[in-house]
Amino acid sequence: MSKKTYSPAKQRAVYPGSFDPITSGHVDIIQRGLKIFDKILVAVLENPKKKPLFTTKERMSMIQDYFVDQGNIEVKAFDGLLVEFVKNNNANIVIRGLRAISDFEYEFQMALMNRKLDPEIETLFMMPNLRYSFLSSKLVKEIFMLGGGLKDLVPEQVEKKLKEKFKKSAHA
Ligand code: ADP
C-alpha cells in the first residue's frame, strides 16, 4: 500500500495569550501549529487588568527574539475581542493549548463564546509534550522568585529578562 502524504490546506492561524512570559509550553504549541499551518500569528493580549509582570512590548520582543530566524511567525499585540482581531487579520482559526482537564472548562467556554460571536472562526486545541503539561507562565515566575532554575522551561533569553526585571525592581 502506498504511503499517503498528508497535505492539509495550509493557512494562517492565530495563537492568542498573555505570554507573560513565553514558556517552552507555548513554544511547543507554536511548533506543533506550524505542522498544520503555514503561518502562526502570535497575538499578545494587552489586558492591563491581569497586571502582567512584563509590558506588552517586552512580552512581544521575547517571542520575536526566540523566533527571529523564522519568517512564518508573526507577533502582534491585541486588546478587545479576539474574534475581531482574528477577522481583521484575515484568519479564521484560533489555536489554544490544552494542558490538563483543569484547562478544559475555561477553554470550552471561551471557544463556544467565540463561536457565538463569529461562527466562521474555529478554535483548534493542541496538546503539548507531556513534559510541558504542568508548565505555566505563573509557575515559571514563582519558581524564579523562589530561586529555582528554569532550564528547559523557558527560552534562555526569557530567563535573562526575568533576572534583569527582578534586579531592576530590587533597586526600585
Ligand atoms: P492565558 O491566555 O490564560 O493568559 P497563556 O497566555 O499562558 O494563558 O496561554 C495562552 C495559551 O497557551 C492558552 O491556550 C494556554 O492553555 C496555552 N498554554 C500555556 N502554557 C502551556 C503549556 N505549558 N502547554 C500547552 N499549552 C499552554
Side-chain angles (χ1 to χ4, degrees):
M1 207 170 77
S2 70
K3 209 174 159 198
K4 233 184 179 172
T5 39
Y6 176 59
S7 55
K10 288 199 166 188
Q11 53 173 330
R12 187 151 80 138
V14 175
Y15 180 36
S18 308
F19 305 102
D20 185 37
I22 185 167
T23 69
S24 304
H26 295 126
V27 170
D28 179 288
I29 296 295
I30 292 171
Q31 276 157 353
R32 279 173 207 283
L34 284 175
K35 291 186 191 167
I36 306 172
F37 301 100
D38 282 325
K39 244 186 164 172
I40 305 281
L41 169 53
V42 183
V44 178
L45 180 64
E46 302 226 32
N47 197 358
K49 262 203 293 188
K50 266 196 167 179
K51 290 216 164 72
L53 174 65
F54 292 100
T55 64
T56 309
K57 230 171 131 190
E58 288 170 330
R59 285 179 279 146
M60 289 173 72
S61 72
M62 282 185 273
I63 304 170
Q64 277 153 346
D65 281 353
Y66 186 81
F67 292 104
V68 71
D69 298 323
Q70 270 177 262
N72 46 8
I73 303 291
E74 198 184 340
V75 184
K76 281 190 181 179
F78 87 103
D79 57 7
L81 280 180
L82 175 64
V83 290
E84 290 299 323
F85 176 84
V86 174
K87 236 184 336 197
N88 292 339
N89 283 279
N90 300 316
N92 63 352
I93 308 282
V94 172
I95 295 181
R96 296 286 287 177
L98 267 189
R99 284 161 286 195
I101 299 283
S102 50
D103 277 343
F104 182 78
E105 199 171 344
Y106 174 72
E107 293 291 342
F108 185 65
Q109 207 176 25
M110 286 291 293
L112 292 189
M113 181 49 77
N114 284 335
R115 181 183 285 165
K116 184 167 169 50
L117 293 171
D118 189 335
E120 295 302 310
I121 295 174
E122 289 296 337
T123 306
L124 181 75
F125 292 99
M126 304 199 83
M127 274 154 299
N129 187 306
L130 203 58
R131 79 176 95 121
Y132 303 130
S133 60
F134 60 91
L135 189 56
S136 68
S137 300
K138 188 168 171 246
L139 195 58
V140 157
K141 289 178 275 193
E142 282 172 11
I143 294 169
F144 181 82
M145 283 192 269
L146 294 172
L150 295 179
K151 195 173 171 331
D152 299 332
L153 301 183
V154 294
E156 263 174 47
Q157 191 65 7
V158 171
E159 190 164 3
K160 249 199 218 152
K161 292 279 173 208
L162 276 163
K163 282 182 186 150
E164 280 172 26
K165 177 71 76 183
F166 283 96
K167 230 189 271 161
K168 257 188 233 157
S169 56
H171 293 299

